[in-house]
Amino acid sequence: NNAGGPWTTLALWLIGGLLAWCGAVCYAELATTYPRDGGDYEYLNRAYGRWCGFLFAWSQLVTIISGNIAIMAYAFADYGARIWPAWDKPIPMAALSAVIALSALNALGVAAGKITQNVLTATKVLGIAAIVLAGVGFAFAKPRFAPSLPPPAIKSTSVALALVFVLYAFGGWAHAAYVAAEVRDQRRNLPRALGFGIAAITLIYLIVNAAYIYVLGFDIARHTATPAADVMDHVFGSWGTDAVSKLVMLSALGAINGMILTGTRVYAVWAADYPPLNWLASWNRRRVAPVAAIAVQALIAVFLILLVGTYAGRQAFNVALSTAGLRPVLWERFNGGFETLIVGSAPLFWLLTLLTAVSVFILRYRDPSAERPFKIPMFPLPALLFCATCIYMLHASLVYAKWLSLIGFVPAAIGCAVRFALRPKSRS
């Protein structure tokens, strides 16, 4: 909606892919140099001290990853209600069911979680291919009708704001570093997974957005909230819209499963470093699953779904805000409330990511003798671009969130207090 033209739109996706690649090569160097599960937790520990790693893991558990799981679960249930109206009333229950079912599946073992992830990813790729084929088919067949949307009263463009949404779409690739110790042949496969993965995602985004623009026309594609559904409906009819809704549901399940699979590894490694939290680091050795971490993350995600997805939870949240002297949340502004979790946690997320980006320079200076199987190409340019991207996203998210950023920073402050009450194990 904020891009000035079709070529600008495609250029933004290409730039987004380039910036994400800059971040990917930074993580590839860190993950191959320090191949321990936990990703950022390990790098922040080494660069800034144990307090910073603790803050990262705590924030992922209580706000960032658990909040994103809740959001994806709600997206799954919301799109399900569009296909099956009976889901409309119990949307929170459908969201809870998705979280509980996938958490239980991952508790069965790493094999079950990986198989589920592969199946969901393959299905999603097939769905994306269907959208692209719809665009190709449109080129050879006369459309049934031309979709039309009333033009907005005021047309405004902001390439900078458009880039914010593009970069959000590329999010999630850093989770590969969370399971670095479980990757076979880390020195070769981690850089390949991150680098080639970003390249493949960028290509997919370019092709899909080109299909949107070609089938719908730029003016319609930039203003519709459901371009994929519009393309499928335009070419295949009403069943195409249902197919896209099911694709979004599968995509949401894939995102939930991926976060459960990778996020719980961070908590298990983190808890193993602090004796009072050792219970959270307990693994089922036969199934290779951090069962306690999976259960706690699921409970927090369930709490967040009930907090922002039910009337009673929203009322309680606003009462707490009023007691603290803050304005209540206007839930309708955030699509029923779930966007508050993303909006509120985004500034903290980008602050922590910025610290990880800077840690590349700190660790190269502090630990020059460490073997680096993969080194950032054209260093330091990609690392500097990644740092600039994080600063830009941190500023943009603070401007948009305003006082809602307390949703992320207040739990982080509590985490700092908890950290001072705990004595970590010594590390060799």
Side-chain angles (χ1 to χ4, degrees), residues 127-153:
I128 292 172
I131 295 173
V132 175
L133 290 175
V136 174
F138 176 81
F140 297 99
K142 185 177 180 180
R144 296 181 305 106
F145 61 92
S148 61
L149 293 174

Side-chain angles (χ1 to χ4, degrees), residues 133 156 297:
L133 290 175
S156 61
Q297 180 178 253

Side-chain angles (χ1 to χ4, degrees), residues 183-191:
V183 176
R184 295 178 183 176
D185 195 358
Q186 301 152 346
R187 299 185 175 190
R188 182 181 65 177
N189 290 333
L190 268 174

Side-chain angles (χ1 to χ4, degrees), residues 157-343:
T157 61
S158 173
V159 173
L161 182 58
L163 184 59
V164 170
F165 292 109
V166 167
L167 290 172
Y168 269 113
F170 277 96
W173 47 264
H175 285 221
Y178 297 175
V179 291
E182 300 176 53
V183 176
R184 295 178 183 176
D185 195 358
Q186 301 152 346
R187 299 185 175 190
R188 182 181 65 177
N189 290 333
L190 268 174
R192 285 184 176 181
L194 288 166
F196 290 141
I198 291 296
I201 291 170
T202 303
L203 180 62
I204 289 172
Y205 279 146
L206 285 170
I207 294 174
V208 169
N209 278 275
Y212 293 160
I213 294 169
Y214 182 72
V215 175
L216 301 176
F218 177 71
D219 286 337
I220 293 174
R222 70 184 292 212
H223 292 120
T224 177
T226 56
D230 290 344
V231 167
M232 296 296 282
D233 182 73
H234 188 42
V235 178
F236 296 112
S238 59
W239 73 267
T241 304
D242 288 346
V244 168
S245 295
K246 292 175 182 177
L247 173 63
V248 173
M249 292 176 68
L250 290 172
S251 180
L253 290 177
I256 295 169
N257 190 76
M259 287 185 282
I260 293 172
L261 184 66
T262 58
T264 49
R265 269 59 180 175
V266 176
Y267 317 141
V269 172
W270 162 56
D273 287 343
Y274 294 85
L277 299 177
N278 279 174
W279 60 272
L280 188 61
S282 61
W283 283 67
N284 184 313
R285 297 297 175 185
R286 183 170 62 86
R287 295 173 177 173
V288 196
V291 178
I294 291 172
V296 171
Q297 180 178 253
L299 287 173
I300 294 175
V302 165
F303 168 76
L304 292 173
I305 290 171
L306 294 175
L307 180 66
V308 303
T310 63
Y311 177 78
R314 295 171 190 169
Q315 289 295 101
F317 191 79
N318 278 342
V319 168
L321 290 177
S322 298
T323 302
L326 299 172
R327 291 177 297 172
V329 175
L330 301 176
W331 298 102
E332 61 277 5
R333 181 187 171 195
F334 299 100
N335 291 338
F338 277 84
E339 278 190 14
T340 56
L341 298 176
I342 285 289
V343 172

Side-chain angles (χ1 to χ4, degrees), residues 368-393:
S369 61
E371 182 184 2
R372 288 175 167 78
F374 176 87
K375 292 186 177 181
I376 299 171
M378 299 177 291
F379 185 83
L381 181 59
L384 290 173
L385 284 174
F386 184 46
C387 289
T389 300
C390 293
I391 292 171
Y392 171 71
M393 293 297 289

